[in-house]
Amino acid sequence: MELISSNKTFGGHLNKYRHASSVVACEMTFSVFLPAQADVGVRLPVLYWLAGLTGNEDTFVQKAGALRVAADLGLIIVAPDTSPRGSEVPDSAPEEWAWGQSAGFYVNATEKPWSDHYNMYDYVVNELPGLIDRHFPTSGRCGISGHSMGGHGALVCALRNPQKYLSISAFEPICNPARTPWGIQAFSGYLGADRQSWLSWDASELLASCQSNLSILVEFGGADEYLDEELKPCTLLGAISNSRCELEIRVRQGYDHSHYFIASFIEDHLRYHYKKLVSSTL
């Protein structure tokens, strides 16, 4: 790993790294917040945060106001980029901003040329955690969360790996991408024309069939302009009746899709994650 930058904040350090990824076949960057407890060798739980459309490894750590609380709790935060990048990586047309570079949708692409690089699911679930656990004082306990496209990614990663993540939450996730404009555009490119194959990357479909006792917290803004067409929280409510999971959905009236909403309630989520990460049985 190459250290790109390091800033001391709230007694800890916010570091940005670059590394060569074999999974996405290009260089990737990610941010890590290490609380002060990490400096004295204490092994700490990790929260993986997945950013939304057009985001990157800086978006959450700079905009969400999460680091003060993470420092207080002793919680490592890892924020990867949202897609592979570089001149060798294929991209969508500029007007198709909801997929391509900065919008990897946290799936493993099956269609050429995307499948050579767009394997963000394997990167987030396997390669990146392996790197984090080798280089930082982690306790082996991790949770996952994210916003919008990243909320979709967090739910999909957790529902496909129910034993891996001890805490799960999402802000304004795309709940049913197989049936929404953003999702249809991205899935058509990454996964091809067979819509049945899309369902294994759809949070509502995965929730409906999940037979693990997962506890999931999901938060929406009541004034979110994307709520009905792109996010579709009603599909999660419909799916939970067939699942063994426990789902808590909160709707905050007057809040929109921005990071102002996340910043208003991120402390609730971090404390929710920390409680589960330190008390759950592996």
Side-chain angles (χ1 to χ4, degrees), residues 188-208:
S188 295
Y190 297 145
L191 304 175
D194 179 11
R195 295 198 174 200
Q196 190 65 30
S197 70
W198 299 2
L199 303 184
S200 61
W201 301 104
D202 186 292
S204 293
E205 297 288 342
L206 290 168
L207 180 62

Side-chain angles (χ1 to χ4, degrees), residues 14-158:
L14 176 62
N15 297 342
K16 186 191 292 191
Y17 295 92
R18 179 186 296 117
H19 74 107
S21 167
S22 60
V23 169
V24 297
C26 67
E27 288 192 331
M28 290 292 289
T29 54
F30 62 90
S31 291
V32 180
F33 174 67
L34 298 167
Q37 296 93 323
D39 292 339
V40 294
V42 178
R43 295 201 165 271
L44 304 173
V46 181
L47 177 66
Y48 289 89
W49 176 273
L50 307 184
L53 292 167
T54 74
N56 58 33
E57 70 280 358
D58 294 323
T59 308
F60 177 72
V61 295
Q62 292 182 357
K63 291 185 175 182
L67 304 188
R68 175 189 60 81
V69 183
D72 179 53
L73 295 173
L75 181 63
I76 295 173
I77 293 178
V78 177
D81 202 350
T82 49
S83 80
R85 297 183 195 259
S87 59
E88 75 279 16
V89 176
D91 198 2
S92 61
E95 65 274 13
E96 297 178 341
W97 54 269
W99 72 302
Q101 291 190 34
S102 82
F105 259 85
Y106 305 102
V107 302
N108 285 342
T110 57
E111 300 298 300
K112 293 288 187 179
W114 312 98
S115 58
D116 293 337
H117 296 279
Y118 284 76
N119 298 300
M120 287 298 294
Y121 170 80
D122 278 349
Y123 179 75
V124 167
V125 172
N126 298 311
E127 187 177 38
L128 182 60
L131 199 65
I132 298 300
D133 288 342
R134 285 196 301 273
H135 289 276
F136 302 106
T138 65
S139 66
R141 294 169 173 266
C142 67
I144 193 165
S145 188
H147 175 230
S148 192
M149 179 189 72
H152 142 78
L155 295 179
V156 167
C157 290

Side-chain angles (χ1 to χ4, degrees), residues 147 172 220-225 252 254-261:
H147 175 230
E172 303 173 305
F220 292 95
D224 190 320
E225 62 270 39
R252 306 287 190 172
Y255 288 89
D256 59 18
H257 199 71
S258 71
H259 276 75
Y260 295 113
F261 173 43

Side-chain angles (χ1 to χ4, degrees), residues 164-178:
K164 183 177 182 68
Y165 301 101
L166 299 179
S167 60
I168 309 152
S169 79
F171 280 88
E172 303 173 305
I174 302 171
C175 302
N176 193 200

